[in-house]
Amino acid sequence: EVQLVESGGGLVQPGGSLRLSCAASGFTFSRYAMTWVRRAPGKGLEWVSSISSSGDESQCADSVKGRFTISRDNAKNTVYLQMNSLNAEDTAVYYCAKGGRLNFETRTSGQGTQVTVSS
């Protein structure tokens, strides 16, 4: 059974940083691209960033480019999202998903982790 557990969210002031983690189990993690998505209050799901199975390639949305960095540790079955220069528009529940940008599946995502950017 695929299990994804997100953590690392919290309340942070504008300009601050957070590092999200997603621990994966139930599948061969190193064979799959992984993706972070988010859902802001009252809005739909937004793709944030994806990383290849090896970690050699990554993509991110224009809205977070230059501020967010996705990475992974296949030895630990974990994918990360380093978020810097946070602003109010980044407030959302963040989910990790199995798969890449074009084929990620959220049905196996976890509960998500809340990120709130506020002074």
Side-chain angles (χ1 to χ4, degrees):
E1 178 187 0
V2 174
Q3 189 169 19
L4 299 170
V5 180
E6 302 92 345
S7 63
L11 174 63
V12 62
Q13 292 186 341
S17 297
L18 282 174
R19 188 195 196 201
L20 306 184
S21 299
C22 172
S25 61
F27 64 104
T28 307
F29 181 75
S30 60
R31 293 184 180 178
Y32 289 88
M34 294 294 293
T35 290
W36 283 97
V37 297
R38 67 186 181 184
R39 189 186 302 276
K43 296 187 178 180
L45 202 64
E46 178 188 12
W47 171 75
V48 175
S49 187
S50 297
I51 189 167
S52 64
S53 57
S54 66
D56 289 346
E57 297 179 5
S58 63
Q59 301 170 292
C60 62
D62 288 344
S63 58
V64 305
K65 197 166 291 183
R67 300 187 300 120
F68 290 13
T69 303
I70 190 171
S71 62
R72 66 190 295 160
D73 185 337
N74 284 347
K76 295 183 178 179
N77 286 1
T78 301
V79 60
Y80 305 98
L81 186 68
Q82 178 66 43
M83 307 186 297
N84 300 328
S85 301
L86 286 161
N87 58 58
E89 288 69 41
D90 297 316
T91 294
V93 179
Y94 285 73
Y95 304 89
C96 68
K98 178 171 168 271
R101 179 179 184 180
L102 299 180
N103 63 355
F104 65 85
E105 53 184 51
T106 56
R107 63 181 177 85
T108 53
S109 296
Q111 301 272 17
T113 186
Q114 175 71 50
V115 172
T116 302
V117 184
S118 175
S119 55

